[in-house]
Amino acid sequence: MEPLLGHGPSAGAGELPRAGWQAEALPVLRALAADEPSVQKLEVAGSAAGDGRVLDVWSDLDVLVTIDGDSAPVAERLAQAVPAALGPLYASSRSGDGREAGVRLVLADLRRIDLTVRTADAALHPPAQCGAGGLAGIAAAFRFDAVLAAFKAARQDLLISAHLALQLPRHVLVAAMILRDQETGTRHHRYGSTEWNVWPERLGAVAPPSSTLTITASIRHHAHVLQDLLAVHAPDLAVDDDPLHRLLAAVDRSAERQSAPSARP
């Protein structure tokens, strides 16, 4: 079917969507939701929920749909209907926990629409924000992946070792996100801040993990960054990383012995 907003995209080649596209797309989304018998209401969330003055070219359209029934099939039908109504789909991602299903859509003209479909029960009992328990889990996952990456490097399984080592900066960033949410009391951040942007900056101060020694260096560096982050914002979750550092030192010694030239008789 033809896009309901006309026969052309809302942005030309190489351009971002034009200002005001969110207000134009909203009636289309309301019409699509109205075709679903289980939908109770549709609300606009995020920056588009205001008077529009804070919207810019980077803003997406967040829509919250409350239903009576199973959220997943409704979310999937809407995910299929939106590109048919508004234009071709470029990329998408999905998430859900049973009571709530999320679909994030990027159209070919770079308009971004986030659909959250939740049951009425989920609306009455929203999930708690990820707190200290979640942060402790992230720190534990970091240490487990760090140890496993080091053992894989010792066995010269650089493929899996590098894969695990690349997980470590992601763990650090998730920990920083949780801490920022706790500090600000929200999971919605339109802009970053100098204070929190320092943590991803620090992750770039090490070479990519591609050999045994660069993998151990990467593990060691990210372990220090995580420890510093926790020391500043969650000191009760900081632990002694001596076991990890002893393991890394042993892996380094093993790699250096293997790369050393053989002694002549």
Side-chain angles (χ1 to χ4, degrees):
M1 74 185 276
E2 292 289 343
L4 297 185
L5 288 186
H7 299 287
S10 67
E15 298 177 357
L16 292 169
R18 65 172 179 260
W21 71 264
Q22 297 91 344
E24 296 175 351
L26 186 56
V28 179
L29 299 179
R30 291 193 186 279
L32 296 176
D35 288 338
E36 291 286 340
S38 63
V39 169
Q40 297 179 344
K41 63 179 177 179
L42 181 148
E43 304 168 90
V44 181
S47 55
D51 58 13
R53 288 180 295 180
V54 297
L55 292 177
D56 55 24
V57 295
W58 311 110
S59 295
D60 59 4
L61 177 56
D62 290 306
V63 174
L64 178 61
V65 180
T66 302
I67 67 166
D68 179 16
D70 189 357
S71 61
V74 175
E76 191 56 36
R77 286 194 295 270
L78 289 175
Q80 299 296 324
V82 168
L86 292 175
L89 182 69
Y90 171 66
S92 64
S93 68
R94 288 163 172 77
S95 61
D97 62 3
R99 295 189 306 168
E100 184 173 293
V103 181
R104 311 185 76 178
L105 305 173
V106 181
L107 302 183
D109 60 9
L110 299 180
R111 287 175 292 173
R112 295 181 297 117
I113 299 173
D114 286 2
L115 297 170
T116 300
V117 180
R118 65 182 183 182
T119 64
D121 179 62
L124 294 174
H125 305 284
Q129 293 191 12
C130 188
L135 184 61
I138 291 296
F142 177 100
R143 294 176 185 119
F144 184 88
D145 284 348
V147 169
L148 187 56
F151 275 111
K152 290 294 184 181
R155 293 278 183 88
Q156 293 299 299
D157 189 345
L158 301 185
L159 177 64
I160 294 180
S161 182
H163 165 73
L164 291 167
L166 287 170
Q167 291 274 68
L168 302 182
R170 181 180 182 274
H171 288 318
V172 173
L173 294 178
V174 172
M177 289 162 59
I178 293 172
L179 288 165
R180 184 176 70 167
D181 290 349
Q182 290 178 347
E183 180 182 88
T184 59
T186 179
R187 289 179 291 177
H188 301 286
H189 307 275
R190 281 185 51 78
Y191 301 101
S193 65
T194 302
E195 175 189 357
W196 291 102
N197 287 349
V198 69
W199 298 106
E201 289 173 3
R202 288 190 57 182
L203 298 181
V206 65
S210 58
S211 65
T212 301
L213 293 179
T214 57
I215 287 172
T216 56
S218 179
I219 296 170
R220 190 177 287 110
H221 174 75
H222 292 123
H224 282 308
V225 174
L226 179 62
Q227 284 287 70
D228 290 347
L229 177 66
L230 295 177
V232 173
H233 298 281
D236 55 317
L237 294 180
V239 301
D240 186 355
D241 274 335
D242 180 65
L244 174 62
H245 291 300
R246 285 189 285 108
L247 171 60
L248 293 172
V251 176
D252 285 346
R253 290 193 297 270
S254 176
E256 290 165 355
R257 284 196 301 270
Q258 292 177 19
S259 63
S262 301
R264 294 182 178 180

